[in-house]
Amino acid sequence: MKRFDIEKITINQILTGIAIFLAFMIVLSTILGLAKKNSKDPKLAKNPSIVIAQGQDTLSAEYYSFKNFERMRIVPKETKNSNPVTLIITPCFAYTKDDKDFNEELSRKSSIIKSSIINYFSSKTVQELNALGEENVKEQLKKQINENLVLNKIQGIYFSEYIFLQ
């Protein structure tokens, strides 16, 4: 049996060993991360009460979420004595599970939906939006958007961001 002599180990051998170990850890964590990401279906939920605005990515098992909208910056209607305010929102819509045709309709009409959202928020002052509350805003907006849809109706609107910047 060959005896291990610690005095003959060079700095290059130590650095090579450390580099090999780090490369192994990077590859292993990448594989585990990809396996974990692919094991979840982000469209389905385990709990019907989970809301996307709370940082979750899922709805109830009955619904899919349509999240093709990026962050929107909207300037609400100004009042005489107010400073300009920017509203930042990222909307998401819940619709009935397995309705591929409706998903396509949402995709086709996304510019109309985006215009509806912008028109809604820019027609109201910050005070009006605050007085209505987020739930009433969602209901009014849902009603307005559903007027433009034919195949089905969105079941809910969620905001992953809903921020007023002054």
Side-chain angles (χ1 to χ4, degrees):
M1 182 145 101
K2 195 173 186 180
R3 189 168 175 239
F4 184 69
D5 192 5
I6 199 159
E7 293 174 358
K8 291 186 179 181
I9 296 177
T10 65
I11 294 291
N12 285 340
Q13 290 173 325
I14 293 172
L15 292 176
T16 302
I18 292 172
I20 290 171
F21 174 75
L22 289 175
F24 173 75
M25 293 304 291
I26 290 171
V27 169
L28 180 65
S29 61
T30 301
I31 291 170
L32 291 175
L34 290 174
K36 183 178 180 183
K37 181 179 177 184
N38 291 336
S39 69
K40 290 191 242 176
D41 184 1
K43 294 179 182 173
L44 300 177
K46 298 170 186 145
N47 183 345
S49 64
I50 293 175
V51 175
I52 291 175
Q54 295 172 342
Q56 299 296 326
D57 202 19
T58 55
L59 298 170
S60 75
E62 304 165 4
Y63 300 107
Y64 281 160
S65 59
F66 184 80
K67 300 184 280 188
N68 289 10
F69 291 100
E70 295 182 8
R71 178 181 293 158
M72 294 183 196
R73 288 175 175 79
I74 303 168
V75 178
K77 187 168 124 182
E78 293 184 26
T79 58
K80 293 178 184 176
N81 298 330
S82 68
N83 293 329
V85 175
T86 301
L87 172 63
I88 298 175
I89 60 168
T90 306
C92 172
F93 306 114
Y95 67 95
T96 309
K97 180 180 175 182
D98 294 330
D99 194 345
K100 294 178 183 175
D101 294 333
F102 186 60
N103 186 352
E104 289 177 24
E105 181 183 17
L106 289 172
S107 294
R108 278 192 326 270
K109 294 185 175 179
S110 59
S111 62
I112 294 170
I113 294 169
K114 186 175 182 177
S115 293
S116 260
I117 294 169
I118 292 170
N119 290 337
Y120 177 82
F121 284 108
S122 56
S123 70
K124 303 209 179 302
T125 65
V126 174
Q127 292 79 14
E128 290 171 334
L129 291 169
N130 285 331
L132 281 170
E134 190 175 337
E135 290 306 314
N136 288 328
V137 167
K138 288 177 183 180
E139 282 303 313
Q140 289 179 6
L141 195 54
K142 179 174 81 170
K143 183 179 176 186
Q144 185 174 332
I145 291 169
N146 280 336
E147 290 173 359
N148 296 309
L149 300 173
V150 176
L151 297 177
N152 202 342
K153 303 295 179 200
I154 58 172
Q155 306 302 313
I157 297 177
Y158 303 93
F159 298 111
S160 58
E161 288 182 302
Y162 190 87
I163 303 166
F164 291 97
L165 295 179
Q166 293 190 4

